[in-house]
Amino acid sequence: MYGNDFTAPGTQTATASAAEPDLEDFQRIIDADSRVEPRDRMPEGYRKTLVRQIAQHAHSEIIGMQPEGAWISRAPSLRRKAILMAKVQDEAGHGLYLYAAAETLGADRAELLDMLHDGRQKYSSIFNYPTLTWADIGTIGWLVDGAAIVNQVPLCRCSYGPYARAMIRVCKEESFHQRQGFEILHTLSHGTEAQKAMAQDAVDRWWWPSLMMFGPSDDQSPNSAQSMAWGIKRFSNDELRQRFVDMTVPQAEALGLTLPDPDLAWNEERGHYDFGEIDFSELFEVIKGNGPCNAERMAHRVRAHEQGAWARDAAVAYADKHAARRAEAVA
Ligand SMILES: [Fe+2]
Ligand SMILES: [Fe+2]
């Protein structure tokens, strides 16, 4: 409905309804590392996979505003408040780029939101955990945004052009988010005993859910192979998880905080850190809706959506008025 950076909305349904391209031709384009653009013909499965992934990503960005937004009014200083507000606004912006990217595939933004609200589409399970103390804000920035970066940097090379380009900007902002989280934790872990204990407690609670952000292990991730073949996904869940662990362990040492895993140890032979077994039954429970904050997050989102209806109506009325004036001027 509103113009965006990617393409004019009117052209998109044509793409969606275009005949299937020759699959071998399409695969050759992917294998040559070319980008697929909104007006290009694409297999329906490719389009659907992307819409689902981009929508889930967009939903995660805007639901992710809630656990941190809860601390804006309680930030310990004006400086911390200003930084946190900027960070939460960035996440709204990420949602915006991503809904716009989904629209280039013929998806309707209002419909995607309906699907989020009635549970047909998901968002990242990590946002179903509560933010109990100020240290959780540091930990989310450090671990959750850190994991998001590891997931999203390869998406900058995703075969679908609008998604890949949106990710470049998102990753730059995520890098700021990760550093601000690290800096909060660094201050706490070098503060009083009580502050250090608060930081350690937050890390203890967020570490395992952060590892689960990469999804189930490769043998339990049936759609991964097709996404890899299509150049949507570049690395497997387990590869990305390992990369995150390898990146994070030295940072935890710099913070003077312990990661809650007795099996965490450098493996000289593999050139990676070994880590303990992940209890994925927790992830599957949270996905099913049984996490600590699922109901609260959805109730808040639906309420915010209903309360914002007047703003969407006003924007449409304003756009219609100006379109009518332009038409009059042309006539
Ligand atoms: Fe984000
Ligand atoms: Fe972020």
Side-chain angles (χ1 to χ4, degrees):
M1 174 174 316
Y2 311 108
N4 60 58
D5 292 344
F6 302 108
T7 189
T11 60
Q12 291 146 16
T13 355
T15 300
S17 59
E20 287 274 308
D22 182 87
L23 289 181
E24 276 172 29
D25 283 350
F26 184 77
Q27 196 60 48
R28 259 193 296 279
I29 293 171
I30 301 286
D31 294 344
D33 215 15
S34 298
R35 292 289 165 273
V36 179
E37 296 297 337
R39 288 176 183 78
D40 295 340
R41 290 201 302 166
M42 58 188 91
E44 185 57 13
Y46 176 84
R47 194 185 72 82
K48 278 194 173 144
T49 300
L50 272 167
V51 168
R52 196 188 331 107
Q53 178 171 336
I54 296 173
Q56 179 165 332
H57 193 164
H59 300 330
S60 303
E61 299 286 354
I62 62 165
I63 296 282
M65 296 167 74
Q66 290 186 37
E68 293 181 285
W71 278 90
I72 291 175
S73 61
R74 293 179 285 172
S77 70
L78 184 60
R79 175 174 166 267
R80 294 291 187 200
K81 192 194 286 274
I83 294 171
L84 184 57
M85 278 174 66
K87 199 250 186 203
V88 173
Q89 282 181 343
D90 281 354
E91 305 300 3
H94 297 173
L96 185 72
Y97 313 153
L98 287 161
Y99 286 120
E103 284 178 321
T104 68
L105 290 158
D108 178 77
R109 191 182 306 197
E111 211 173 288
L112 295 180
L113 283 168
D114 286 345
M115 288 200 267
L116 168 65
H117 297 154
D118 65 21
R120 276 175 293 157
Q121 284 184 343
K122 302 280 181 203
Y123 55 90
S124 175
S125 287
I126 193 77
F127 300 118
N128 290 316
Y129 291 87
T131 40
L132 303 179
T133 70
W134 173 250
D136 288 46
I137 301 306
T139 310
I140 289 182
W142 176 45
L143 294 180
V144 175
D145 290 273
I149 292 172
V150 172
N151 255 327
Q152 290 170 7
V153 163
L155 288 174
C156 297
R157 295 195 299 119
C158 167
S159 59
Y160 187 58
Y163 192 28
R165 289 190 289 276
M167 278 306 111
I168 292 171
R169 182 160 169 183
V170 166
C171 283
K172 286 186 177 149
E173 292 174 349
E174 295 302 357
S175 155
F176 155 68
H177 298 169
Q178 202 255 357
R179 281 159 207 226
Q180 66 87 37
F182 184 87
E183 201 253 345
I184 290 175
L185 281 185
H186 192 270
T187 304
L188 291 173
S189 65
H190 292 79
T192 64
E193 276 309 306
Q195 285 172 319
K196 186 168 181 186
M198 190 198 277
Q200 184 61 58
D201 169 65
V203 170
D204 288 347
R205 283 182 288 109
W206 288 93
W207 173 248
W208 291 105
S210 299
L211 290 189
M212 293 176 207
M213 283 176 70
F214 297 92
S217 55
D218 294 346
D219 48 14
Q220 285 180 292
S221 184
N223 299 323
S224 280
Q226 181 61 73
S227 280
M228 300 259 251
W230 275 334
I232 297 172
K233 215 174 149 86
R234 299 278 177 183
F235 300 97
S236 76
N237 294 354
D238 287 332
E239 282 173 315
L240 293 169
R241 190 169 7 249
Q242 181 71 63
R243 192 174 291 185
F244 173 70
V245 172
D246 291 348
M247 177 185 100
T248 308
V249 173
Q251 294 176 1
E253 282 165 9
L255 288 170
L257 296 171
T258 312
L259 297 171
D261 178 0
D263 296 329
L264 203 57
W266 178 252
N267 183 325
E268 190 67 55
E269 215 170 289
R270 290 202 309 126
H272 293 290
Y273 283 93
D274 289 335
F275 53 96
E277 206 171 317
I278 298 171
D279 175 14
F280 281 111
S281 62
E282 178 178 326
L283 176 68
F284 297 129
E285 273 307 301
V286 181
I287 291 174
K288 266 195 268 168
N290 302 326
C293 299
N294 295 58
E296 185 186 328
R297 299 287 183 248
M298 284 314 296
H300 185 86
R301 169 93 271 281
V302 170
R303 196 165 55 239
H305 188 70
E306 283 164 1
Q307 288 173 351
W310 70 271
R312 292 189 296 277
D313 291 346
V316 171
Y318 183 82
D320 287 349
K321 185 173 85 181
H322 280 264
R325 278 192 194 158
R326 267 198 306 277
E328 241 171 69
V330 170

